[in-house]
Amino acid sequence: MKPKGATLLAAGLVLSLLCGQGKLHSQQQQISQFDREAAEQMLKTIRDRVKQYYYDPTYHGVDLDARYNVYEEKIEQVENRGAAFADIAAYLSGLHDSHTFFIPPARSAVFDYGFRMEIIGDKAYITNLRPGSDAATKLHPGDEILGLNHFNVNRQDFEDLTYFLYTLAPQTGVTFEMRDPSGQQRQEFVKTTVQNRPLAGSVDDLDFADYINHRESFQHQMHARSQEVGDALIWKVPGFFESDDQVEGMLAKARKHKALIIDLRGNHGGSGEMVARMISGLIDHNVTVLTRITRTSQKPVLAKSRGKEAFAGKLIVLVDSISASASEVFARVIQIEHRGLVVGDQSSGQVMETTIHPLHLPGEYGVAITDASIIMSDGKSLEGIGVMPDVIVLPTAEDLATGRDPALSKAAELVGVNLDPAAAGKLFPFEWTPLSAE
């Protein structure tokens, strides 16, 4: 794939060609004149919304009108709706902004691939498989992904690739080039489970993190979980969606232990208020969490400390390549304030603030537009950079294949608790979102 920022542009250029060559496996039909005109109107409306609401009135130097003319011409030449949607997405990709993206109209089918893949270090691996899926019969945790539908899979392009697969052009099948933990290479074609569904609901009810989770379809259930191991409490937070009472209950539980490990791996973000509440219960002084920079203002976000009531024990935060947005802010605050250690893999670098704009023509679609840049108290942005752990721990292919969790094991070791990787891997089993037929 192309360098990041050009990937979706390339996708808009080559989608029709790839479909014609049979490299993609989708349910695209030839575009009607009605759908073409609708796509052109979507592009125009999205351009106007970005001009009105994007946090940077200079748009990072991007000429939105000149870019619009280019992509309007492209849409006039596409052969199917998927290619038109890819061009709309490519138009927005010129901003190089993780939180500004196109939300296409809902489909009448749900696509479930049956596998979960993740970037670990600089490589992509299969990490989980849905029982009973075609993927479960052909793939294995720990398989390294060398290619997916003839595209390279790497950290730089991973977000664009998943956006393409789960949002722009869901596939009825995926061709993998794989390498197993023993080094043997093979190719597998994996069929997607496709279920029809009624078209109901609206993007009005979506926020950014909800949309990400819906798009991926294989998310964790959003409830937090915890385990007590020795003198440590392990608090797994897959998303910042807990109520104030739930957060307070967990902080009270943590104060009964000498150490706290907060696991933010796989956490796409969520409520900034929950982040501030957690920080206020973990640091013994007031903290400037971040500064929001909009078109018209710069406003700091503060976390007022509980003082002596704050948890005072050892603190470890776990992150991975999926950790994004609010989870990255939380981890970086812990580093800046020298409150604890961050362990795991480099986070995703998707740290802006966005608003979903529901749009109609005809039917429901939308656009997420960044309305604030996030600057940390050290004066730096995490966008496109992420959080680099203090202690890097990357599971190997063998670890994935056998269910070991060396990162959680290392976190326990750093707070004086013995937890071997095999036992750590069993503490929080992966939870699949049920299919409607299950």
Side-chain angles (χ1 to χ4, degrees):
M1 299 181 74
K2 302 294 185 183
K4 187 170 178 60
T7 302
L8 288 179
L9 174 61
L13 291 170
V14 306
L15 178 60
S16 297
L17 175 62
L18 291 176
C19 287
Q21 292 177 340
K23 291 183 178 181
L24 297 183
H25 311 278
S26 60
Q27 293 182 324
Q28 298 294 336
Q29 296 180 345
Q30 187 171 8
I31 191 169
S32 68
Q33 185 60 30
F34 177 84
D35 285 339
R36 190 186 306 277
E37 291 174 357
E40 291 172 346
Q41 183 60 48
M42 289 179 191
L43 179 66
K44 181 179 183 296
T45 302
I46 286 172
R47 177 201 62 183
D48 294 343
R49 285 295 179 113
V50 172
K51 281 186 172 183
Q52 184 176 359
Y53 293 107
Y54 194 66
Y55 83 98
D56 177 7
T58 71
Y59 316 111
H60 310 304
V62 175
D63 187 333
L64 293 181
D65 289 325
R67 193 171 177 84
Y68 167 81
N69 292 335
V70 170
Y71 282 94
E72 184 183 38
E73 291 182 7
K74 291 181 182 298
I75 290 174
E76 290 176 357
Q77 303 300 319
V78 298
E79 296 180 1
N80 56 64
R81 285 212 315 165
F85 292 164
D87 282 330
I88 297 172
Y91 172 73
L92 292 173
S93 76
L95 291 169
H96 303 286
D97 187 315
S98 66
H99 281 50
T100 297
F101 56 88
F102 171 52
I103 305 173
R107 289 179 170 82
S108 60
V110 176
F111 293 74
D112 186 86
Y113 293 106
F115 60 83
R116 186 175 189 265
M117 58 183 179
E118 182 177 338
I119 295 293
I120 298 174
D122 295 320
K123 299 178 180 179
Y125 293 92
I126 296 295
T127 56
N128 300 93
L129 296 165
R130 182 187 288 278
S133 65
D134 190 49
T137 68
K138 299 173 181 177
L139 309 179
H140 309 282
D143 281 341
E144 182 184 350
I145 305 170
L146 304 177
L148 189 157
N149 282 0
H150 306 281
F151 285 97
N152 294 328
V153 185
N154 54 59
R155 179 181 284 268
Q156 190 175 32
D157 297 326
F158 188 74
E159 186 63 23
D160 287 341
L161 178 59
T162 55
Y163 175 61
F164 173 77
L165 285 174
Y166 291 94
T167 302
L168 294 181
Q171 305 293 292
T172 58
V174 177
T175 299
F176 282 103
E177 290 83 39
M178 317 291 294
R179 179 162 51 214
D180 68 24
S182 70
Q184 295 296 312
Q185 296 189 27
R186 70 187 194 282
Q187 185 175 92
E188 299 285 0
F189 177 73
V190 176
K191 292 183 290 186
T192 306
T193 298
V194 182
Q195 295 182 326
N196 293 327
R197 65 175 178 185
L199 288 177
S202 164
V203 291
D204 295 69
D205 300 324
L206 294 174
D207 64 21
F208 176 70
D210 287 338
Y211 177 71
I212 290 293
N213 291 325
H214 170 74
R215 180 193 69 190
E216 290 198 343
S217 80
F218 45 54
Q219 89 262 25
H220 287 286
Q221 298 292 338
M222 285 294 102
H223 65 279
R225 292 177 281 173
S226 67
Q227 293 281 355
E228 296 174 272
V229 181
D231 290 330
L233 176 67
I234 304 172
W235 183 7
K236 187 168 184 62
V237 186
F240 287 101
F241 302 110
E242 300 293 293
S243 68
D244 290 350
D245 288 343
Q246 289 171 317
V247 172
E248 291 303 319
M250 196 61 67
L251 289 171
K253 192 173 183 179
R255 287 193 289 270
K256 300 176 182 179
H257 296 78
K258 294 181 180 179
L260 174 62
I261 298 170
I262 300 178
D263 189 348
L264 301 182
R265 292 174 297 177
N267 183 318
H268 282 291
S271 166
E273 289 77 11
M274 179 177 169
V275 171
R277 181 170 290 275
M278 288 174 61
I279 290 171
S280 71
L282 296 171
I283 299 179
D284 63 3
H285 56 273
N286 297 341
V287 172
T288 298
V289 178
L290 53 87
T291 298
R292 298 176 67 254
I293 299 179
T294 70
R295 283 193 178 193
T296 59
S297 68
Q298 297 187 18
K299 183 178 180 180
V301 175
L302 306 177
K304 187 175 181 180
S305 176
R306 318 286 178 81
K308 293 181 180 179
E309 294 183 3
F311 171 76
K314 295 180 179 179
L315 178 63
I316 303 290
V317 179
L318 284 164
V319 296
D320 63 8
S321 67
I322 299 176
S323 302
S325 199
S327 64
E328 298 181 89
V329 168
F330 180 89
R332 184 62 185 139
V333 168
I334 297 304
Q335 285 184 325
I336 291 172
E337 297 298 324
H338 303 288
R339 175 60 184 88
L341 295 176
V342 176
V343 175
D345 196 0
Q346 182 179 357
S347 66
S348 67
Q350 300 178 67
V351 187
M352 305 291 271
E353 187 173 295
T354 196
T355 296
I356 297 290
H357 295 250
L359 300 170
H360 313 271
L361 174 85
E364 308 281 351
Y365 71 104
V367 60
I369 300 175
T370 297
D371 49 24
S373 177
I374 301 300
I375 302 299
M376 304 303 296
S377 62
D378 61 358
K380 298 178 181 179
S381 170
L382 295 172
E383 177 74 2
I385 299 171
V387 176
M388 183 61 68
D390 302 293
V391 181
I392 296 176
V393 182
L394 306 179
T396 64
E398 291 79 7
D399 289 328
L400 298 173
T402 58
R404 299 192 298 258
D405 188 344
L408 181 53
S409 176
K410 182 64 176 180
E413 176 189 329
L414 290 170
V415 298
V417 172
N418 183 26
L419 178 64
D420 70 73
K426 297 177 181 178
L427 289 180
F428 301 102
F430 183 81
E431 297 180 343
W432 286 92
T433 303
L435 294 174
S436 60
E438 292 181 343

